[in-house]
Every structure is written in structure tokens, then in C-alpha cells.
């Protein structure tokens, strides 16, 4: 006769258990986890030590029932593998670390249909918030975001009015500053090299074009782009294409620093002196731009701060201290050797 064996499980440590040992209310324990800045450092350290000693693990299922969300912040990006987005992710995760929230990522591949699919999946889980990068101006996406059951933060670009909250920079204004800088440095046949023309890319194109049209120097042939994932190699090929179509080009504004580095390598291969014969301006201020030879002029984005403060906006919305509208963290034009044209 078979004997049925019963598994004995240790009783789950609850928030109330932690509160009892700490001599505080369960609300105070929850606040120490979710909004540590609202608890005195001494009490917070005591609570966190007790949590560690007791082995308390938050019950996210119970939280979902109690607070009507599952404690997850959904993060949607068109290119999760992008080196640019890694700094944003680091900011997101550093801010989440001091809370009992969790992060779940989704890659949308610059596809509005995929954005809709992933948003519906997140919304069905009752998330604590949504952070979304690269939202295209497609009515179905916008309408879905307007119906979100949680706070929504659109990040990176602030040119389009948000459905809820937004944080990032004005990419059109950044492109205007970069193009004006190239003109001021003495360049006149300035190309634009880009990858996939997502919403940020289109806004940079608008800014670039507006400056050159005002100067009477815009030529559609100066704009070269590629739909494939951008890389150093793509930068090389785009410059080759530009110089075949517009041989007298003397500078480029690149949609990102990978393309700019490829342009630099292609200039060196062709014997074009940078910056004397050819100027290069990138975008993002990745680490290598300050150590290349010559160093690369670029537009710096506060990528870490964008991620960190996006989470902060969701946390504050949960506590009825919402930051409404748009937060402009501003870009910085970093002038380096690649655009210092000699007289």
C-alpha cells in the first residue's frame, strides 16, 4: 500500500511579522521598501536588517490584490540590445533597487504592432507602471496608452505631447544645435547619416533640414539612411554612398556615435583629414567618442538620468505625488577635435 507523503513548508514570513519584530506598523515597513526616503535612516536600516534576518520575501500576488497592481514596471524599448539603452536600463534598475517593485522588459523592434501587442500583455497583468521608449505617432498606440490602467512614462523624446508623463530631450532642438555648430565651424555641404527613421530620427532630420534650408544649403541628396541596425560598418557604407552622390560633401551630422565612428574610419581609409577636410558630429556621447583619434564631437544625452527619473515619476504617481506633463533633461553639445576646422 502506497504511503502518501506530505511536503512540509515553512510558514511564509509576512509584512505583519516584520512589523511586529520592528515595533512599527506594516505601513511603515512597506514605506521603508517602496519609499525609503520617507523613513528616517536609522529606522530604515533597522527594518532592512530585520527583513534580512527573517528572510522576508514580498508577496507580490497579495500586493496585486491589495493595491490593484502586481508590482511590475513594464519597460518597452525598440532596441533593448542597443548600447545607448544600456545606460537607461542602469538608471531604471538603480532606482528600482530601493523599492519592492520589479522590472520586466519587452523589445518592440521599432514596430507599432509589436508595441500594441506588448502593451496589451502588460495591461492584462495590472502593472504598477509602464515606461516606453520610441512611441510612434500611430493612433492605435496612442489610444491604447490613453486607456492604460497605470502611470505611463514616455522616455527619450519629448517633442510629442505625452499621453500621461514624458522625460527626455527635444531631439529636433538637439539637431538644430549640432547643425548650426557645423555651419559655424565653416562646413557647408553637410550630410545627415542615419539608421531607422523612428520618431527621434525624424525629429533630428527636421531640425537639421530647418537649419540648412534657412541657410539656403539644403540638398535632399545629402540625407542618407539605412533601415538595417546601425553599426560602425553602416557608418562606413553610408559615407561611401554620400560621397558617390555628393562628392563635395565636407561634413556629416550622424544619428548616433556608431555611425560617426564608421565615418571616421572611412575618412582615414580615403585619406580625408578630420577635421580639416571633413567634419564629423555624432549623437549620444558614447565612451569611445572621447578617446578616438581625433576625438568626436557629439550630442550628449543624460541617458542614466532619464531611466532613473522615469521610475521616480512612477513611484511618485503611486503615492499621489505625480509629476505631470513633460520633463526636459536637456542635451549638451560636446565640441571635440572632429569639428575644429583649421582656417
Amino acid at each position: 500500500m502506497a504511503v502518501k507523503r506530505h511536503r512540509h513548508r515553512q510558514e511564509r514570513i509576512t509584512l505583519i511579522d516584520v512589523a511586529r519584530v520592528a515595533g512599527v506598523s506594516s505601513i511603515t515597513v512597506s514605506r521603508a521598501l517602496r519609499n525609503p526616503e520617507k523613513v528616517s535612516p536609522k529606522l530604515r536600516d533597522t527594518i532592512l536588517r530585520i527583513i534580512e534576518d527573517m528572510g522576508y520575501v514580498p508577496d507580490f500576488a497579495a500586493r496585486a490584490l491589495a493595491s490593484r497592481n502586481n508590482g511590475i514596471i513594464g519597460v518597452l524599448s525598440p532596441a533593448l540590445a542597443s548600447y545607448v539603452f544600456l545606460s537607461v536600463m542602469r538608471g531604471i534598475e538603480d532606482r528600482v533597487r530601493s523599492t519592492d517593485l520589479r522590472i520586466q522588459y519587452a523589445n518592440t523592434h521599432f514596430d507599432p504592432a509589436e508595441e500594441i501587442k506588448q502593451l496589451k500583455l502588460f495591461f492584462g497583468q495590472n502593472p504598477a507602471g509602464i515606461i516606453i521608449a520610441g512611441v510612434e505617432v500611430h493612433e492605435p498606440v496612442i489610444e491604447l496608452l490613453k486607456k492604460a490602467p497605470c502611470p505611463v512614462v514616455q522616455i527619450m523624446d519629448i517633442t510629442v505631447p505625452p499621453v500621461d508623463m514624458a522625460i527626455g530631450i527635444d531631439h529636433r532642438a538637439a539637431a538644430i544645435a549640432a547643425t548650426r555648430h557645423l555651419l559655424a565651424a565653416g562646413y557647408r555641404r553637410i550630410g545627415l547619416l542615419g539608421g531607422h527613421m523612428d520618431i527621434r530620427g525624424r525629429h533630428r532630420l527636421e531640425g537639421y533640414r530647418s537649419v540648412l534650408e534657412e541657410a539656403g544649403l539644403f540638398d535632399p541628396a545629402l540625407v542618407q539612411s539605412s533601415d538595417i541596425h546601425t553599426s560602425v560598418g553602416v557608418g562606413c557604407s553610408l559615407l561611401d554612398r554620400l560621397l558617390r552622390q555628393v562628392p563635395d560633401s565636407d561634413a556629416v551630422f550622424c544619428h548616433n556615435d556608431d555611425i560617426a565612428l564608421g565615418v571616421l574610419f572611412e575618412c582615414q581609409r580615403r585619406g580625408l583629414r578630420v577635421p580639416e577636410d571633413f567634419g564629423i558630429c555624432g549623437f549620444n556621447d558614447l565612451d569611445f567618442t572621447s578617446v578616438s583619434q581625433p576625438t568626436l564631437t557629439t550630442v550628449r544625452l543624460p541617458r542614466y538620468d532619464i531611466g532613473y527619473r522615469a521610475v521616480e515619476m512612477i513611484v511618485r504617481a503611486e503615492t499621489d505625488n505625480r509629476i505631470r506633463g513633460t520633463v526636459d533633461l536637456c542635451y549638451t553639445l560636446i565640441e571635440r577635435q572632429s569639428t575644429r576646422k583649421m582656417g
Side-chain angles (χ1 to χ4, degrees):
M1 176 176 163
V3 178
K4 186 176 182 180
R5 298 189 178 186
H6 297 275
R7 297 179 63 188
H8 296 283
R9 297 184 180 179
Q10 181 180 4
E11 283 191 29
R12 185 185 185 95
I13 303 297
T14 69
L15 196 73
I16 294 174
D17 296 328
V18 174
R20 186 180 299 116
V21 174
V24 297
S25 69
S26 56
I27 293 176
T28 301
V29 175
S30 178
R31 187 175 293 125
L33 289 169
R34 298 177 60 187
N35 305 105
E37 71 281 357
K38 295 186 177 181
V39 180
S40 69
K42 184 177 179 180
L43 179 56
R44 182 177 66 239
D45 291 344
T46 298
I47 292 172
L48 294 178
R49 186 177 65 254
I50 291 170
I51 286 172
E52 181 71 20
D53 291 343
M54 295 181 70
Y56 168 68
V57 177
D59 186 342
F60 292 102
R63 171 187 170 140
L65 291 173
S67 64
R68 297 183 182 177
N69 74 62
N70 64 358
I72 291 175
I73 296 176
V75 179
L76 289 81
S77 168
L80 277 178
S82 165
Y83 186 78
V84 171
F85 199 70
L86 292 180
S87 294
V88 179
M89 291 168 65
R90 187 162 54 86
I92 289 171
E93 291 168 6
D94 280 357
R95 180 60 184 91
V96 166
R97 192 169 293 119
S98 62
T99 74
D100 62 351
L101 297 168
R102 295 170 293 166
I103 297 298
Q104 186 174 330
Y105 293 100
N107 204 341
T108 59
H109 305 285
F110 297 99
D111 182 357
E114 186 65 19
E115 285 183 344
I116 291 173
K117 174 185 173 182
Q118 295 295 342
L119 283 171
K120 287 181 177 179
L121 288 172
F122 277 128
F123 292 165
Q125 300 172 43
N126 297 318
I130 293 291
I131 295 173
I132 182 167
V135 175
E136 296 291 338
V137 188
H138 292 279
E139 198 61 30
V141 177
I142 300 302
E143 287 304 311
L144 186 58
L145 287 173
K146 288 178 180 178
K147 298 173 183 177
C150 61
V152 174
V153 182
Q154 294 164 237
I155 64 171
M156 306 307 284
D157 183 72
I158 60 167
T159 312
V160 176
V163 297
D164 186 5
M165 299 175 283
I167 187 166
I169 70 161
D170 184 330
H171 287 259
R172 186 179 186 276
I176 287 174
T179 309
R180 284 178 176 168
H181 166 71
L182 289 168
L183 285 175
Y187 302 104
R188 289 296 176 267
R189 296 289 277 166
I190 303 167
L192 176 73
L193 305 185
H196 182 87
M197 282 292 178
D198 62 354
I199 190 168
R200 286 165 287 168
R202 293 195 299 274
H203 288 154
R204 293 175 203 168
L205 172 59
E206 290 172 6
Y208 155 87
R209 179 169 182 160
S210 69
V211 172
L212 290 191
E213 284 183 339
E214 184 180 343
L217 296 172
F218 179 71
D219 178 353
L222 288 167
V223 179
Q224 302 292 332
S225 63
S226 172
D227 286 334
I228 66 175
H229 184 70
T230 58
S231 64
V232 175
V234 168
C236 294
S237 63
L238 285 177
L239 179 60
D240 177 70
R241 188 196 304 172
L242 174 66
L243 293 178
R244 279 189 279 109
Q245 295 189 28
V246 190
D248 61 341
S249 299
D250 62 357
V252 286
F253 169 46
C254 303
H255 272 193
N256 61 48
D257 292 331
D258 289 345
I259 292 176
L261 186 61
V263 169
L264 176 60
F265 289 161
E266 183 66 14
C267 284
Q268 292 170 343
R269 188 181 71 81
R270 291 170 175 262
L272 290 173
R273 298 172 303 161
V274 176
E276 295 87 349
D277 302 327
F278 205 86
I280 305 170
C281 179
F283 205 98
N284 290 318
D285 193 31
L286 299 184
D287 292 345
F288 61 76
T289 59
S290 63
V291 295
S292 61
Q293 182 56 42
T295 55
L296 290 169
T297 293
T298 187
V299 177
R300 177 180 294 162
L301 273 68
R303 301 186 303 278
Y304 176 91
D305 291 342
I306 288 172
Y308 191 97
R309 293 183 60 178
V311 175
E312 178 68 21
M313 292 167 85
I314 289 174
V315 170
R316 291 183 62 171
E318 278 198 316
T319 58
D320 297 322
N321 191 21
R322 182 185 293 262
I323 302 172
R324 298 189 178 277
T326 296
V327 177
D328 186 353
L329 291 186
C330 302
Y331 61 86
T332 305
L333 179 66
I334 308 297
E335 181 182 353
R336 296 196 180 105
Q337 295 169 345
S338 66
T339 57
R340 292 175 185 165
K341 191 172 183 180
M342 303 300 177

